[in-house]
Amino acid sequence: QLQASGGGLVQAGGSLRLSCVASGFASDFGSVAWFRQAPGKEREGVSYIRSGSPGPTYADSVKGRFTISRDNAKNTLYLQMDGLKPEDTAVYYCATRFARCLTYMCLDPSSYPYWGQGTQVTVSS
C-alpha cells in the first residue's frame, strides 16, 4: 500500500513537500514516480527515479522547480515542489513498480501497478 500526503492550498510561488509512505520494503521497488491529474485532463507523469540510473527524470513542465527523492530506510518517496504555479493545481499520485521501467515508459501511468490514493494540491494566483 502507498499512502500519499502533504498536499494543500498555497499561493503562487510557494512550496509544498509531498510524501508517499510504502508499506513493505521501498528498496524493492525498481521504479518510483509521481503523477498528477488536473480536472478534465489525463493523468500525466511528473517525475521518476529508477534503479541503476544516475539521477531522476522530470517532465519539462516541472524541471528546475520540483525535486523527487526517496528514503529507503523510511520507505518513503518525496516530491519537493518549489515555485508553484496555478497550472500545477492537480491531484498528485505516487506510483511504484518492482521492475525497472524502460525510459519510454517511465512516465506512462499504465506502467505502474501500485498507486497511492492521491493528495490535492491547489495553487492560487
Side-chain angles (χ1 to χ4, degrees), residues 59-117:
D60 288 342
S61 58
V62 305
K63 201 171 295 183
R65 300 186 297 121
F66 290 11
T67 304
I68 188 174
S69 61
R70 65 191 293 181
D71 185 336
N72 289 341
K74 295 182 179 180
N75 291 341
T76 303
L77 176 68
Y78 300 100
L79 185 68
Q80 177 66 41
M81 305 187 294
D82 299 315
L84 283 162
K85 304 176 181 180
E87 51 263 44
D88 295 319
T89 294
V91 177
Y92 283 71
Y93 299 89
C94 53
T96 63
R97 53 181 280 148
F98 286 107
R100 182 178 184 272
C101 58
L102 300 177
T103 302
Y104 74 93
M105 61 190 287
C106 292
L107 288 179
D108 183 346
S110 66
S111 300
Y112 295 84
Y114 307 109
W115 289 84
Q117 84 287 6

Side-chain angles (χ1 to χ4, degrees), residues 4-22:
S5 64
L9 173 64
V10 64
Q11 288 188 334
S15 299
L16 285 173
R17 188 175 82 155
L18 306 184
S19 299
C20 176
V21 180

Side-chain angles (χ1 to χ4, degrees), residues 3-70:
Q3 185 73 29
S5 64
L9 173 64
V10 64
Q11 288 188 334
S15 299
L16 285 173
R17 188 175 82 155
L18 306 184
S19 299
C20 176
V21 180
S23 58
F25 295 99
S27 60
D28 290 340
F29 295 126
S31 307
V32 293
W34 286 98
F35 290 81
R36 66 186 182 185
Q37 188 166 18
K41 295 188 177 180
E42 293 187 351
R43 193 167 297 189
E44 64 170 347
V46 173
S47 181
Y48 70 88
I49 299 173
R50 62 178 177 175
S51 59
S53 293
T57 298
Y58 299 92
D60 288 342
S61 58
V62 305
K63 201 171 295 183
R65 300 186 297 121
F66 290 11
T67 304
I68 188 174
S69 61
R70 65 191 293 181

